[in-house]
């Protein structure tokens, strides 16, 4: 199975800050990397798929980079609605696997 | 409206069984692979099982293989998860999620989840 490791597990930031979350795969997954946002009590929501394609309606302050084993999600100007938990997920092979999540909290 | 609606969760004793359902609407259900993903209280996401659009291919995580069965009825736009020999550590919110043309794909639509509590 492909292991996905996110860092940090949590971070505190202020509105307007730039934040970056990293995700590392235990083997190359090419660009088969997806990012989800989850708010408390809600289902996850797909933000980005195929490593770099923003889902419809996702604001452009979300950007991504990486391929192979190392990926990053950056929120350039943090907004109040961005405080949530973010998960990476590989879709290179089954079983699909998720990172452990990164909780973005208000400082 | 494009949506997934899970049902069937509840309280079950360890060793018991439960069948979850997920009704799809607003899209051509039979064209997409589907998955079940669970989330234990305060924990992360864990993919449980997936099924191809035709229902002919299924995949399971090692933790549920042999105890859970995923299936679908494309005539009813419904996905199922039969869960047997349930364990306390499987207490979680279970989500159904729509994939792409194949099982190994992004999950671009999620249901609201149904809570399964395994406890005596």
């Amino acid at each position: 199975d492909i292991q996905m490791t996110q860092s940090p597990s949590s971070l505190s930031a202020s509105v307007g800050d730039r934040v970056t979350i990293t995700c590392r795969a235990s083997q190359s997954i090419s660009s088969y990397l997806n990012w989800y946002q989850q708010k408390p009590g809600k289902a996850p929501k797909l933000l980005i798929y195929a490593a770099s394609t923003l889902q419809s309606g996702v604001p452009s302050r979300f950007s991504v980079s990486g391929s192979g084993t190392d990926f990053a999600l950056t929120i350039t100007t943090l907004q109040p609605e961005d405080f949530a938990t973010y998960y990476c997920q590989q879709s290179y092979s089954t079983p699909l696997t998720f990172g452990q999540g990164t909780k973005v909290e208000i400082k | 409206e494009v949506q997934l609606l899970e049902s069937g969760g509840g309280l079950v004793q360890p060793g018991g069984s439960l069948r979850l359902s997920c009704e799809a609407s607003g899209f051509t259900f039979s064209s997409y692979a589907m998955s079940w993903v669970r989330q234990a209280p305060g924990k992360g996401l864990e993919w449980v099982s997936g099924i191809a659009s035709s229902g002919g291919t299924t995949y399971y995580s090692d933790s549920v293989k042999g105890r859970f069965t995923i299936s679908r009825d494309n005539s009813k736009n419904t996905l199922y998860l039969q869960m047997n020999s349930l364990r306390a550590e499987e207490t979680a919110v279970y989500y159904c999620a729509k994939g792409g043309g194949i099982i190994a794909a992004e999950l671009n639509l999620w249901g609201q989840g149904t809570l399964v509590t395994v406890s005596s």
Side-chain angles (χ1 to χ4, degrees), chain B residues 31-67:
Chain B
S31 294
Y32 297 95
M34 298 292 295
S35 284
W36 287 98
V37 177
R38 67 186 177 188
Q39 186 170 37
K43 302 298 184 182
L45 301 171
E46 179 189 12
W47 182 81
V48 172
S49 182
I51 186 167
S53 57
S54 65
T57 304
T58 58
Y59 290 96
Y60 300 91
S61 66
D62 286 345
S63 60
V64 307
K65 202 173 295 181
R67 299 185 298 117

Side-chain angles (χ1 to χ4, degrees), chain A residues 23-80:
Chain A
C23 178
R24 173 167 286 179
S26 60
Q27 66 181 73
S28 177
I29 58 171
S30 185
S31 295
Y32 293 94
L33 192 280
N34 312 302
W35 291 94
Y36 300 84
Q37 177 192 66
Q38 186 179 34
K39 296 183 178 179
K42 300 294 187 182
K45 168 188 161 184
L46 178 66
L47 284 182
I48 294 156
Y49 61 96
S52 62
T53 304
L54 269 61
Q55 183 73 336
S56 175
V58 173
S60 58
R61 62 180 178 273
F62 289 89
S63 65
V64 288
S65 63
S67 67
T69 60
D70 293 299
F71 303 85
L73 171 69
T74 297
I75 310 171
T76 53
T77 309
L78 202 61
Q79 297 299 302

Side-chain angles (χ1 to χ4, degrees), chain B residues 1 4 9 19 27 38 40 42 48 51-52 56 66 70 74 89-90 92 98-99 101 104 106 117-118 120:
Chain B
E1 183 184 0
L4 298 170
R19 188 199 200 200
F27 64 96
R38 67 186 177 188
V48 172
I51 186 167
I70 190 172
N74 286 343
E89 59 267 29
E90 295 179 310
K98 169 181 167 283
E106 69 276 8
T117 303
V118 185
S120 54

